[in-house]
Amino acid sequence: MKNGLWRVTAVVALAGMTVPVGSAEADPSRPEVRVTGDFEIAVFLCTPATYGRHKRYATAKQRRDVEAYLKKTPEVTEVRFVSRAAAYANFRREFADHEKVLAEDLPESFRVRVSRVADRGRITALANRPAAVGYVVDQAETHGDPATGPDLTVFLCTKDSAMSSCLRGRRKANKVTAAEKRAVVAAVERVPGLVTYRYEDQATAYRGFAEAFRENEALVKATKVADMPESYLLWLRPGADWESPRRRLAGLPGVSSVTARRCWVRETRMFTEYGLVKTGC
């Protein structure tokens, strides 16, 4: 899958939350955020930053071809184009404090609506086929209520992980070791303000993932238990500092990444709506 690496981490995090697909409330303080029961499928076109896409933007002809392709796809009811300029204007209104992001960083995209009886997983897979498409996000999958999730999630390195944190100085033995797990647990238990924590193995993560995304058979079938990272889920006291422990835990050997609930919600929004990956919190 073109977007397999980011997706595994995203869906594991989502699977640990309540995912009320099909219902949401709009935030009146953010008029540009269009959240309804009719979630869109975002088809982001290539940019020079898109992994494996030859460091170039999609051409005008490729854009027309993708639009024609999407409109011919069965069960698609609407296709609308979002230009880079329009996306950047919306981004600046929603994330005015994120000055690092420039207009050139944003991909152009098509937003696709489908019938309510459509197989969204199949349409997402079809939309991912054209060469000019960087990645596709079904916003129904990534919409959830983060209120019940952990404050910090420590993802451990898996076998064959491509994450730089799992490759650094580890050669091919990039799966977390038993000794590294013990060191992570010791560090977790020293986190100031820790209320409780829970270990989640790969099988448990996969069951949660499969349940959360049971309506997307294509995604579930394409994902294996071995793709799921082991993790530690931490809940902190209200008002506790989460950024300092996040940085400390992320630097430990055997740790792939650490997501903070507050950062994760923000970064997920940046990815699913604007096609931005790893912009920072």
Side-chain angles (χ1 to χ4, degrees):
M1 293 188 294
K2 289 179 187 175
N3 47 356
L5 182 61
W6 75 264
R7 201 164 199 172
V8 166
T9 301
V11 297
V12 169
L14 269 173
M17 300 177 181
T18 303
V19 186
V21 174
S23 64
E25 295 181 2
D27 181 347
S29 69
R30 291 184 176 179
E32 293 300 321
V33 180
R34 298 168 37 155
V35 182
T36 70
D38 188 11
F39 294 101
E40 295 179 324
I41 296 173
V43 181
F44 294 105
L45 303 184
C46 292
T47 71
T50 307
Y51 177 77
R53 310 314 293 169
H54 311 298
K55 298 186 181 300
R56 58 176 177 245
Y57 291 104
T59 66
K61 181 182 184 305
Q62 287 175 323
R63 186 172 64 233
R64 291 192 298 270
D65 289 345
V66 170
E67 183 174 17
Y69 173 80
L70 293 172
K71 287 182 175 178
K72 290 191 298 185
T73 302
E75 299 179 320
V76 168
T77 60
E78 179 187 342
V79 177
R80 66 183 178 89
F81 176 66
V82 178
S83 69
R84 187 170 292 109
Y88 187 66
N90 284 347
F91 180 86
R92 286 266 62 89
R93 281 190 286 268
E94 188 171 353
F95 297 103
D97 60 326
H98 219 297
E99 298 178 355
K100 294 187 299 181
V101 175
L102 304 176
E104 64 196 44
D105 298 324
L106 296 174
E108 298 174 314
S109 65
F110 289 100
R111 305 309 169 96
V112 177
R113 292 184 181 273
V114 302
S115 68
R116 291 191 176 273
V117 296
D119 183 341
R120 300 181 69 96
R122 181 184 63 82
I123 293 173
T124 298
L126 289 173
N128 213 27
R129 287 182 178 177
V133 173
Y135 35 83
V136 181
V137 180
D138 183 351
Q139 294 177 342
E141 291 179 356
T142 54
H143 178 75
D145 177 9
T148 58
D151 294 292
L152 293 173
T153 302
V154 182
F155 292 106
L156 305 182
C157 294
T158 59
K159 182 181 179 182
D160 301 323
S161 173
M163 297 290 287
S164 59
S165 53
C166 297
L167 296 174
R168 189 168 50 245
R170 301 170 66 84
R171 298 183 181 179
K172 293 184 179 180
N174 50 359
K175 181 177 172 61
V176 64
T177 66
E180 288 170 340
K181 281 188 190 179
R182 290 193 293 271
V184 170
V185 169
V188 164
E189 292 180 344
R190 292 195 300 270
V191 169
L194 179 70
V195 175
T196 188
Y197 73 93
R198 185 178 79 231
Y199 167 72
E200 188 165 273
D201 62 21
Q202 290 177 300
T204 302
Y206 184 81
R207 286 195 297 272
F209 157 75
E211 172 62 23
F213 298 96
R214 61 188 178 277
E215 295 182 1
N216 190 336
E217 293 183 9
L219 176 62
V220 174
K221 287 181 180 179
T223 307
K224 301 178 178 61
V225 173
D227 294 329
M228 297 287 120
E230 300 169 89
S231 61
Y232 291 97
L233 286 61
L234 286 66
W235 284 262
L236 308 181
R237 287 198 307 266
D241 174 26
W242 53 269
E243 178 57 23
S244 296
R246 184 188 71 82
R247 287 197 303 266
R248 285 196 298 271
L249 292 168
L252 294 176
V255 173
S256 171
S257 63
V258 180
T259 62
R261 181 174 58 186
R262 297 179 202 176
C263 273
W264 185 86
V265 171
R266 185 176 168 94
E267 289 187 341
T268 298
R269 173 66 182 173
M270 289 185 186
F271 180 79
T272 59
E273 182 61 28
Y274 299 103
L276 292 169
V277 181
K278 291 293 181 184
T279 57
C281 191

